[in-house]
Amino acid sequence: MGFKWKSLMLTIFTFLMVVCNASLINSNVVRSIKSEDGDVIDCIPIHKQPAFDHPALQNHSIQMRPSNDPTMAKTEREEEVPNIVVKQLWQKSGSCPQGTIPIRRTQTKEGHIASKKPSFSHLNDKEKMVDNNDLELLQLNHSLAVLIAQGFAYYGAKGDIKLCYAQVERDDEYTTNQVSLITGPFRNYEAIESGWAVNPGVYGDRQTRLFVYWTVDGSVNTGCFDLTCPGFVQTSSDIALGAPIYPISDPEGNDPSVITIFIHKDPETNNWWVNYGEEVNIGYWPAELFNGLCFHAESVQWGGDVYSKRVGMHPGHTATGMGCGQYPSPEPFFGSAFVKRMRVIQNKVLVPPAFVNTYADEYRCYRALYLSDYVEDPEFYYGGPGRNFLCP
Ligand SMILES: *[C@@H]1O[C@H](CO)[C@@H](O)[C@H](O)[C@H]1NC(C)=O
Ligand SMILES: *[C@@H]1O[C@H](CO)[C@@H](O)[C@H](O)[C@H]1NC(C)=O
């Protein structure tokens, strides 16, 4: 009897919480935009965004723009590269008024569960390649193929990431492509990252979407995509996190389209800003969220991550692809995923990373290829199809 009463109360309480939350959100919506891609974008006053529900941000005063512009620190070579501006489809259907930010409306609560996303911080062995017979993934259920810069204090990192599509076999699996900055001990690190993802668990479909992600404990208790948990402060009224981006590169490899992601620490506030397309400041992770990352990042990673309970499993490996679903190759017609124009901020200057290593958890399934000879600017190719005859 007592037990039933308790669970009934709990149900009523939960129901009220859901109703209250829903009406709270709705009362803040200034405008709603229905996008052709199926998303609904709500324009929310910038001071009412989810970030401010975070206990550490009670007294946070919002920073509207970075106090410096590290994108100006371009080398001559970089000035020759045309800016490729990747768009979001919802922008065709409307825009958010000044003082508001576009937030993608999430339909499912399950997104929070599927949004945990480990990565890793330290690698001592160079070129660590794990054989399938002796498989030890760096993080359970994750398979990575990345380029890693280590050995300096990093205050920013950027790269041009090819934009494409990769198959995700099951709804509880995902594939991401990103620039990450990481600090702290193995399995208890702080990480911030941004790039594109196919993630049906979080987004409810298999479109290529822009994301940001952060964690302060190796994704054990914290960590989420976009604005699905309080933390990231958005300032842009033009870009919606989690919204699809286009054009996607054609699979034949002609005219690949890229997104330029640049994450950098503001020297005055210590907030970590995300700049998109060398044009839009999307927003920032406030310094209050972090310990180690208040100072600097200890490593930078560029590349791909496949999340599945069936990575490292032979037979029965997942067929979820990494990158563009192809093994890495600099030949354009292979259609491989790549990151180009990799840069880091060291000693206040934007420079190509020195001392980089490639790393792949399962080189038969997803590979990493760093090309530094015969090219003016080093290039990183990565990815793979998942299950096939090489990856049984
Ligand atoms: C916010 O300010 C109040 C009043 O000064 C203070 O008591 C509280 O600890 C502050 N909260 C945070 C998270 O800094
Ligand atoms: C990894 O997959 C196993 C096996 O399905 C599951 O029990 C576990 O919760 C997963 N661990 C993480 C950290 O996602």
Side-chain angles (χ1 to χ4, degrees), residues 54-60 288:
H54 195 290
L57 302 181
Q58 268 174 12
N59 305 329
H60 181 78
E288 291 94 318

Side-chain angles (χ1 to χ4, degrees), residues 332-350:
F333 60 85
F334 274 110
S336 153
F338 60 70
V339 186
K340 293 183 181 174
R341 283 206 305 149
M342 287 142 309
R343 297 288 181 273
V344 291
I345 300 181
Q346 275 168 226
N347 301 322
K348 301 186 179 162
V349 277
L350 192 63

Side-chain angles (χ1 to χ4, degrees), residues 140-141 307 309:
L140 204 56
N141 306 337
Y307 175 87
K309 287 168 186 158

Side-chain angles (χ1 to χ4, degrees), residues 28 63 81 98 115 184 225 237 287 304 309 313 331 363 368 380:
N28 286 332
Q63 184 181 11
V81 181
Q98 262 204 327
S115 65
F225 284 89
S237 57
K309 287 168 186 158
M313 207 184 260
E331 296 296 339
Y363 70 93
F380 177 61

Side-chain angles (χ1 to χ4, degrees), residues 225-271:
F225 284 89
D226 309 333
L227 306 182
T228 58
C229 68
F232 188 85
V233 176
Q234 186 171 332
T235 55
S236 169
S237 57
D238 299 323
I239 296 291
L241 292 169
I245 35 182
Y246 73 100
I248 303 293
S249 308
D250 109 55
E252 256 73 275
N254 306 313
D255 297 326
S257 67
V258 301
I259 53 171
T260 304
I261 297 288
F262 187 16
I263 302 175
H264 57 92
K265 190 152 100 74
D266 190 298
E268 284 179 20
T269 59
N270 293 329
N271 297 331

Side-chain angles (χ1 to χ4, degrees), residues 116 118 139-142 219 307-310 313:
K116 291 263 171 78
Q139 289 285 341
L140 204 56
N141 306 337
H142 282 258
S219 298
Y307 175 87
S308 165
K309 287 168 186 158
R310 298 175 299 141
M313 207 184 260

